[in-house]
Amino acid sequence: KITIPRSVVFYLGRRFTDLSLASLGQALGRKHTTVLYALDRVERAVQKQDSLGRQVKLLANKLGDD
């Protein structure tokens, strides 16, 4: 499935850029509502510190987010 990696891209793109939801969605051929759903999904995973959340946090740290 590509939905989880795409969700992570949206999350990191939102975190590390000033792009709007519409711009992020357009970059991957999706609507802003899809981006919004993906952000919610990944943010919940990060808060719960489940497997996906830990991996996203690791990626964010590698990209320079303290």
Side-chain angles (χ1 to χ4, degrees):
K1 265 187 156 176
I2 196 165
T3 58
I4 292 174
R6 184 174 47 229
S7 295
V8 173
V9 168
F10 287 146
Y11 177 82
L12 295 173
R14 185 69 169 164
R15 191 151 184 182
F16 290 102
T17 71
D18 293 328
L19 293 175
S20 67
L21 298 178
S23 294
L24 284 169
Q26 186 177 24
L28 295 178
R30 297 292 185 256
K31 296 180 180 181
H32 77 281
T33 53
T34 303
V35 177
L36 195 57
Y37 174 79
L39 292 175
D40 181 60
R41 177 182 184 184
V42 175
E43 285 171 358
R44 281 187 283 127
V46 169
Q47 288 175 354
K48 287 183 356 185
Q49 296 183 355
D50 64 12
S51 177
L52 173 61
R54 289 190 304 272
Q55 291 175 8
V56 169
K57 201 167 186 177
L58 177 65
L59 283 171
N61 288 336
K62 287 184 180 267
L63 291 172
D65 187 35
D66 297 322

